[in-house]
Amino acid sequence: MAEEKKQFRVIGTRPIRHDGTDKVTGYARYGADIHLSGMLYGKVLRSPHAHAVIKRIDTSKAEALPGVMAVITGRDLPEVADRLEELGEQVTNIRDESHNVLATGKVLYHGHAVAAVAAVSPHVAEEALKLIEVEYEVLEPVLDVLEAMKPDAPLLNPNLRTRGIGEEDGKPSNIAQHFQNKHGDVEKGFAEADYVVEREFRTTMVHQGYIEPQNATAYVRPDGSVTIWCSTQGAFAVRSQVAQLCKIPVSKIKVVPMEIGGGFGGKTVVYLEPLAVLLSKKTGRPVKMWMNRAEVLQATGPTSGSVIRVKMGCKKDGTLTAAQATLIYEAGAFPGSPVGAGAGVIFAPYRLPNVQIDGYDVLVNKPKTGAYRAPGGTNAAFAAESVVDELARLCGMDPLEFRLKNGVKEGDRRADGPRLPRVGYLETVRAAMESDHYKTPLEPSPDPTKRRGRGVASGFWFNGGGPSSVLVKVNEDGTVDLIEGSTDIGGTRASCAMIVAEVLGLPAEDVHPHVVDTDSIGYTSVTGGSSVTHKTGWASYLAAQEVREEVIRRAALLWSVEPAEVEYHDDGTLTCKSDPSKKTTFKEIAAQMNRTGGPIEGKGTINAGGAGPGFGTHIVDVEVDIETGKVDILRYTAVQDVGRAIHPAYVEGQIEGGVAQGAGWALTEEYYYDEKGHLLNSSLLDYRMPTALDLPLIETILVEVPNPNHPLGVRGVGETPIVPPAGAIANAIYDAVGIRLTRLPMKPSYVLEELIKAGLTS
Amino acid sequence: MKPIDYVRARTLDEAVLLLRQGGERARVLAGGTDLIVQVRENRRDVDLFVDIKNIPETNRLEYDPEHGLTLGAAVPCYRIYGNPAVAKAYPGLIDAVAMIGSVQIQGRATVGGNLCNASPAADSIPPMIVYRGVCHIYGPQGSRVVPVEEFCTGPGQTVLGPGELLVWIHFPPPERHAQAHYLRFTPRNEMDIAVAGSAAYVRLNGERIASARVALSAVAPTPLFVPEVGEYLAGKEITDEVIRQAGELAKAAARPITDMRGTAEQRKHLSAVLTRRALRGAIQRAQEA
């Protein structure tokens, strides 16, 4: 299906991004830029406790404050039934979501919403929050997954019973799910091994860290129709969730996705949208809401902390014989951690004759987790890649040679079942071995207090597809508009526009992409799972093909020949096979379209399957200050099979961004709770994401093994690069100081503790 | 957030009058990089901001080799490191003012505000202590002076009484063969707050240390002057063992807590490491001075 060997004119070039001018001039409109006449401002009251029963809420004093127009609590939300909602890489239960957007009965984490106010100014709304009286009966929180799994642990939800594999006893539990992926016989495999390594790893919750906080403005008109302006990865997903949470038909809701300041998976679930709708309904006026940074960190989907046990065995020659893992992930306050995905990632790069993986999804009194770039992958790979590094050392093998020997290729079976289609994992390992970085020996530091080391790690992501809709309409000046429903968080306006330009033989700048509201385009699933250039790119390809066919028909009409006589060339010119004197261009046809039959449009709708899995292999050099425990990254190279790089600069940007987030997860980022479950570091000062000064220039090597199931060979590229960094950095630290770190983040206090234990400093 | 009054004071007397009238809910506003954030985050209740950025005395930035440095309480960091004579004479102070917050913050933040905010982790206070800074305070009873090391009395607490404000800090002129160095430890390379910090000042006499002063940040309820280190170092020959011993004395004086920014053990350990490194940096500067 893929058009191999084809010479592309637009694909693979680096045109200026279509949204660039608006971004650099400040014209791009974000949710915070919405101002409507008569608009009110909404604020949320949040729980100061991690676990408590709400005994009583008295809103009368707040309601009496001049300027307050409405107050809502959990009682204002309609009762909703259990129903699972697909959100790309996350499935959420609408009933849980209802209890998450406004607590009823119990609060389950520090920052859980309990009431919301709409007032004439944000300051009045804030003052009103202080006047709401909530009486709590504080309960013992459970913050650690292993504690939460104990039979006598405090229960978050006394009605929750484990969905298991036959071992369930029917008693209430914090374990929402236990599953097992298995093939072969691991006991036999370990018996065959010459070396077996077994370790336990622990990681903490981390946040997506998008710069733009959640925001939503809603207006419910007197006729009951609703418009919502918000920052989201999926306008249709917002429409569907709000419809169910507020019991409004989808046809009455229009969602206008604003420009988005980052999402990374965290902006698929709704938080403020239903509250703004309820407050607008109550007041008859538009209501605007936004979170501050503390609210974002306390109450919007971080990804899970985890306990992961890994055991792997290999023969002396490095051949892996068996691998076993137990992954226990924090779900947060409601079921739904990405432990399933973690189980799919953990051993994905390796061919394993015997494998067994157990996964547990466990409730704790922390925020409901949400999708975060390759959800569950980074911590899983950290565990497995550390053990693989150890095995390679035991065998005396180069760690990339070890991966080459055991790496997967087309036809190999993944631990979670499916056989792999054509993938480029081994190509990434070979490219890493051939890289300037790997071939350049690491010089020791001239400073005796600094030790340097090099580490490698690999990573995998599934990548996704899904439904998508696109319209391409031709303008009389020969440009085209591309109308799409995929919100753009990773450069997909550019990639989809370039695909249209390629098909029609136009320059990229002659295609104008527009992300529109839910009334103006067909259903489009969320921007998640690295799916957009795959699915919406494919829909764009189909829509552009339709336009191309129509342009051929118009030329045939003008020349009075059969369409089969018309040849459409890559540069947008058309000629007639039987009469070389007949020539025209896309532009000329566009100028005459209303005289040759009317407007020209093409549509592409698809439910895209066939996503191409992504593999990457990373190399990192670090320097450890043995007196302080600080780890600095000196050099970083990320190699990735990207299928087909439509816009290589954007692909490189995705890889650099993934590495930057992975490095933050590895070294400094963590949710820091006290023993009562209060999140203490809910600011970007103390939730330490890396800055530009903490990272070197990240080098990227793009390996292109086209996805055979996509017309242009596209693979998702955005998530794979966050998977290897923590493992690669841990392995580099081992190389530098000989200490195997098993906790994330590998922050200075932890590294120093281990350096002191090892006698490297005193 | 409720409406807040704001007054731009033009004279010290006007500022003092406003502070007296406003009582406990009146606060001096200089750069505002701590205060405005605290008010916005409901961490401090304020009814009146008294802006001191338009008072001539608080804007003084005057240096000469005979009289030393007068640093007004409203002078932002960028003016300090942007003044070549000051930067040359007090490089240990520049170490701190050039690392506070970020370039944007340094355009607004003042050393006077850093002192009055009285954070144990304040970067500019240890170097001001080792440079023997003296705070000039003005209030209803007139002027008084307090050494920098006695200015902070607890986290967020200072010696300022009702109606009093910090006007300037004065530093004696640089001594011959003497210099200071400030270092802090942060997990991030910028936009961070010290897990621990150490400022060291040394005056050399050939191969020996004639006198020294060391002060630490983020290891006690206030920035901590550690006279024991200076007493130990006075008259000692510069050797690795002497430097190591000085670090151990700093470590012994530190009495840190464990919080989200670091553990008590880590801070104790860093007090020694940073003091050793700050001393070596100060010695090198003193040898070049």
Side-chain angles (χ1 to χ4, degrees):
Chain A
M1 203 170 166
E3 300 178 20
E4 292 292 347
K5 301 212 194 299
K6 182 173 170 178
Q7 288 299 307
F8 294 109
R9 290 177 58 261
V10 180
I11 288 171
T13 65
R14 300 166 181 247
I16 290 172
R17 55 197 281 175
H18 296 78
D19 54 322
T21 308
D22 283 356
K23 293 270 172 72
V24 299
T25 59
Y27 179 77
R29 279 166 50 83
Y30 293 83
D33 297 321
I34 293 286
H35 298 285
L36 303 169
S37 44
M39 191 169 81
L40 302 174
Y41 300 84
K43 294 279 170 192
V44 176
L45 180 70
R46 297 184 182 276
S47 168
H49 307 296
H51 197 190
V53 175
I54 302 171
K55 306 281 279 185
R56 186 181 63 90
I57 304 183
D58 184 347
T59 60
S60 54
K61 284 184 188 148
E63 280 161 32
L65 183 73
V68 172
M69 307 303 284
V71 182
I72 55 170
T73 67
R75 265 182 254 162
D76 292 278
L77 276 168
E79 265 297 315
V80 293
D82 284 302
R83 194 188 158 276
L84 296 179
E85 175 80 5
E86 280 274 357
L87 295 172
E89 296 185 322
Q90 190 181 355
V91 178
T92 186
N93 182 325
I94 289 293
R95 205 169 117 89
D96 291 343
E97 224 182 274
S98 177
H99 292 164
N100 192 41
V101 296
L102 271 182
T104 44
K106 268 169 96 176
V107 289
L108 297 171
Y109 57 93
H110 177 212
H112 198 161
V114 293
V117 172
V120 293
S121 86
H123 306 301
V124 173
E126 259 178 31
E127 289 304 310
L129 295 183
K130 296 178 192 163
L131 299 174
I132 297 173
E133 292 169 9
V134 187
E135 192 188 320
Y136 292 104
E137 181 195 335
V138 178
L139 305 173
E140 193 192 335
V142 56
L143 301 166
D144 175 81
V145 280
L146 299 183
E147 291 297 318
M149 289 171 85
K150 290 181 179 164
D152 56 346
L155 291 172
L156 276 80
N157 178 355
N159 297 317
L160 183 76
R161 281 164 179 81
T162 307
R163 197 151 52 86
I165 54 170
E167 81 283 24
E168 312 90 301
D169 57 9
K171 289 189 186 139
S173 168
N174 291 318
I175 305 170
Q177 194 194 355
H178 168 218
F179 63 85
Q180 191 173 76
N181 301 335
K182 185 177 176 179
H183 63 76
D185 178 348
V186 286
E187 291 314 318
K188 183 173 138 279
F190 288 126
E192 287 164 13
D194 295 312
Y195 302 112
V196 175
V197 172
E198 186 172 10
R199 285 195 183 268
E200 181 175 291
F201 300 84
R202 279 173 181 260
T203 71
T204 64
M205 268 189 172
V206 293
H207 197 268
Q208 293 84 349
Y210 34 79
I211 288 303
E212 181 205 23
Q214 263 83 0
N215 58 76
T217 304
Y219 180 42
V220 183
R221 291 184 193 72
D223 67 359
S225 66
V226 180
T227 305
I228 300 168
W229 297 263
C230 59
S231 174
T232 180
Q233 291 176 238
F236 287 89
V238 171
R239 188 177 76 164
S240 167
Q241 290 172 78
V242 171
Q244 294 176 71
L245 291 167
C246 301
K247 296 211 162 157
I248 300 169
V250 287
S251 59
K252 287 227 157 196
I253 303 173
K254 173 163 96 171
V255 177
V256 185
M258 304 302 290
E259 200 61 63
I260 176 168
F264 311 108
K267 287 182 181 164
T268 59
V269 172
V270 297
Y271 299 96
L272 298 176
E273 290 85 347
L275 308 185
V277 168
L278 291 180
L279 288 168
S280 177
K281 201 170 168 184
K282 251 187 150 168
T283 58
R285 291 166 66 170
V287 176
K288 179 177 181 175
M289 304 184 77
W290 66 89
M291 291 192 192
N292 62 31
R293 186 63 60 185
E295 292 181 286
V296 168
L297 289 167
Q298 283 172 9
T300 72
T303 196
S304 308
S306 57
V307 175
I308 301 175
R309 297 187 192 110
V310 171
K311 183 177 178 184
M312 296 179 89
C314 71
K315 291 186 180 295
K316 278 182 180 149
D317 70 354
T319 309
L320 286 166
T321 58
Q324 187 173 5
T326 302
L327 298 91
I328 307 168
Y329 277 39
E330 294 173 336
F334 300 95
S337 75
V339 64
V345 167
I346 190 160
F347 298 133
Y350 306 104
R351 204 171 49 249
L352 294 165
N354 305 292
V355 60
Q356 181 177 321
I357 302 171
D358 285 81
Y360 294 87
D361 183 36
V362 181
L363 301 196
V364 289
N365 289 109
K366 295 180 183 176
K368 176 182 181 339
T369 52
Y372 174 24
R373 201 170 198 159
T378 303
N379 42 340
F382 163 61
E385 293 298 299
S386 296
V387 170
V388 166
D389 194 67
E390 226 172 322
L391 286 175
R393 283 176 185 274
L394 286 169
C395 297
M397 277 176 83
D398 173 276
L400 290 177
E401 285 287 355
F402 188 91
R403 284 168 175 81
L404 207 53
K405 188 175 185 75
N406 290 289
V408 287
K409 57 183 190 306
E410 183 174 359
D412 286 334
R413 194 174 157 192
R414 279 185 2 215
D416 52 344
R419 288 194 186 278
L420 287 167
R422 178 75 173 94
V423 291
Y425 175 52
L426 296 175
E427 287 83 347
T428 69
V429 178
R430 282 191 204 103
M433 293 169 101
E434 291 302 311
S435 67
D436 175 66
H437 186 166
Y438 208 63
K439 287 184 155 176
T440 308
L442 181 61
E443 296 287 326
S445 170
D447 181 341
T449 65
K450 308 277 200 309
R451 303 276 168 83
R452 291 178 180 174
R454 175 170 291 170
V456 301
S458 293
F460 158 84
W461 190 247
F462 309 84
N463 295 328
S468 185
S469 311
V470 155
L471 289 173
V472 172
K473 64 184 187 66
V474 177
N475 298 313
E476 41 297 23
D477 65 357
T479 64
V480 302
D481 286 308
L482 164 65
I483 316 295
E484 54 172 319
S486 287
T487 49
D488 181 0
I489 59 172
T492 52
R493 270 174 294 203
S495 61
C496 293
M498 288 170 73
I499 288 169
V500 170
E502 185 71 50
V503 172
L504 297 178
L506 301 174
E509 59 269 24
D510 281 0
V511 181
H512 307 301
H514 309 275
V515 177
V516 295
D517 64 69
T518 52
D519 282 1
S520 309
I521 188 72
Y523 185 88
T524 300
S525 53
V526 299
T527 298
S530 300
S531 65
V532 176
T533 301
H534 177 69
K535 69 186 174 194
T536 306
W538 195 337
S540 301
Y541 176 82
L542 296 175
Q545 289 290 356
E546 215 173 280
V547 169
R548 188 178 157 117
E549 292 307 314
E550 184 59 24
V551 169
I552 289 172
R553 269 195 293 276
R554 298 294 171 95
L557 195 71
L558 284 167
W559 295 334
S560 300
V561 298
E562 285 302 310
E565 290 289 298
V566 178
E567 260 190 303
Y568 196 130
H569 301 280
D570 288 349
D571 60 355
T573 60
L574 297 95
T575 54
C576 182
K577 284 180 196 163
S578 54
D579 181 352
S581 72
K582 289 191 164 69
K583 272 187 186 162
T584 187
T585 63
F586 176 86
K587 259 190 168 26
E588 286 168 11
I589 298 286
Q592 303 174 71
M593 65 184 170
N594 288 336
R595 284 186 279 118
T596 56
I600 300 175
E601 280 187 12
K603 77 169 171 55
T605 56
I606 193 169
N607 188 351
F615 284 93
T617 298
H618 294 192
I619 311 161
V620 61
D621 296 344
V622 301
E623 184 169 270
V624 182
D625 183 331
I626 57 166
E627 290 188 335
T628 66
K630 186 161 188 288
V631 176
D632 277 313
I633 298 174
L634 301 176
R635 186 173 182 186
Y636 203 108
T637 300
V639 187
Q640 189 171 321
D641 169 22
V642 300
R644 173 97 62 211
I646 303 294
H647 191 306
Y650 257 129
V651 173
E652 290 157 3
Q654 283 290 326
I655 294 173
E656 289 162 18
V659 170
Q661 287 186 311
W665 194 339
L667 293 175
T668 51
E669 293 181 39
E670 65 174 325
Y671 266 41
Y672 189 93
Y673 283 96
D674 69 11
E675 72 283 0
K676 300 266 185 226
H678 299 112
L679 180 63
L680 298 183
N681 61 335
S682 55
S683 77
L684 292 190
L685 177 60
D686 288 311
Y687 180 83
R688 291 177 166 116
M689 299 196 292
T691 72
L693 288 188
D694 298 306
L695 296 168
L697 181 77
I698 294 155
E699 297 162 60
T700 54
I701 297 173
L702 308 184
V703 173
E704 293 188 286
V705 177
N707 172 10
N709 298 316
H710 189 277
L712 295 161
V714 164
R715 287 179 199 275
V717 299
E719 293 175 284
T720 303
I722 199 178
V723 178
I729 292 168
N731 293 340
I733 293 171
Y734 180 85
D735 191 48
V737 296
I739 298 171
R740 193 55 75 182
L741 298 178
T742 56
R743 287 181 359 224
L744 295 184
M746 297 176 282
K747 57 182 178 179
S749 57
Y750 167 44
V751 178
L752 179 63
E753 203 180 293
E754 296 297 321
L755 287 165
I756 291 171
K757 268 192 226 164
L760 285 167
T761 187
S762 59
Chain B
M1 192 178 180
K2 288 176 179 165
I4 295 172
D5 286 326
Y6 164 91
V7 180
R8 184 180 292 172
R10 303 282 176 180
T11 65
L12 288 175
D13 286 322
E14 186 191 357
V16 168
L17 185 66
L18 287 163
L19 289 171
R20 285 184 71 186
Q21 286 170 350
E24 292 202 339
R25 291 163 72 94
R27 291 289 295 185
V28 168
L29 177 74
T33 54
D34 283 311
L35 185 58
I36 290 175
V37 177
Q38 290 162 2
V39 172
R40 283 180 65 157
E41 292 181 353
N42 289 314
R43 286 189 281 140
R44 198 188 274 282
D45 255 337
V46 172
D47 290 336
L48 171 66
F49 286 130
V50 180
D51 187 344
I52 60 159
K53 286 192 288 293
N54 291 270
I55 300 172
E57 289 89 337
T58 62
N59 280 294
R60 287 178 66 182
L61 178 63
E62 292 158 14
Y63 168 71
D64 71 67
E66 259 179 64
H67 301 100
L69 172 66
T70 302
L71 178 54
V75 175
C77 293
Y78 86 95
R79 277 186 64 200
I80 303 170
Y81 60 68
N83 183 314
V86 173
K88 188 161 185 292
Y90 304 93
L93 182 62
I94 304 305
D95 292 333
V97 295
M99 68 166 62
I100 289 173
S102 60
V103 170
Q104 293 90 331
I105 297 289
Q106 290 153 17
R108 201 75 181 161
T110 66
V111 164
N114 204 217
L115 195 46
C116 293
N117 188 56
S119 160
D123 288 311
S124 73
I125 303 178
M128 288 200 281
I129 291 172
V130 301
Y131 276 122
R132 294 188 175 83
V134 173
C135 304
H136 289 244
I137 296 165
Y138 188 68
Q141 275 80 47
S143 301
R144 65 184 178 116
V145 293
V146 173
V148 172
E149 58 264 36
E150 291 168 21
F151 188 82
C152 300
T153 55
Q157 307 291 317
T158 69
V159 297
L160 291 177
E164 284 191 322
L165 76 152
L166 176 68
V167 183
W168 67 64
I169 307 133
H170 182 265
F171 300 91
E175 300 175 283
R176 278 174 63 78
H177 308 301
Q179 236 345 310
H181 191 53
Y182 174 70
L183 278 172
R184 69 174 182 186
F185 181 78
T186 55
R188 272 195 299 216
N189 289 325
E190 70 162 10
M191 303 295 286
D192 214 334
I193 288 189
V195 176
S198 179
Y201 179 95
V202 294
R203 185 164 59 83
L204 301 180
N205 180 7
E207 292 304 304
R208 287 179 186 275
I209 295 172
S211 67
R213 283 167 73 86
V214 164
L216 306 173
S217 53
V219 296
T222 63
L224 188 67
F225 177 47
V226 192
E228 305 91 285
V229 180
E231 286 156 18
Y232 166 75
L233 287 173
K236 292 275 189 320
E237 204 174 329
I238 302 165
T239 65
D240 286 349
E241 178 52 25
V242 164
I243 303 272
R244 196 193 65 79
Q245 194 55 39
E248 292 308 306
L249 288 169
K251 181 177 175 177
R255 38 181 207 279
I257 56 166
T258 291
D259 66 13
M260 62 190 166
R261 290 174 185 153
T263 65
E265 299 73 33
Q266 177 193 19
R267 287 177 159 133
K268 287 280 265 184
H269 176 89
L270 288 172
S271 298
V273 174
L274 296 171
T275 298
R276 292 200 299 266
R277 292 181 181 183
L279 278 168
R280 289 212 177 86
I283 289 165
Q284 194 180 344
R285 281 177 179 168
Q287 285 165 343
E288 290 159 6

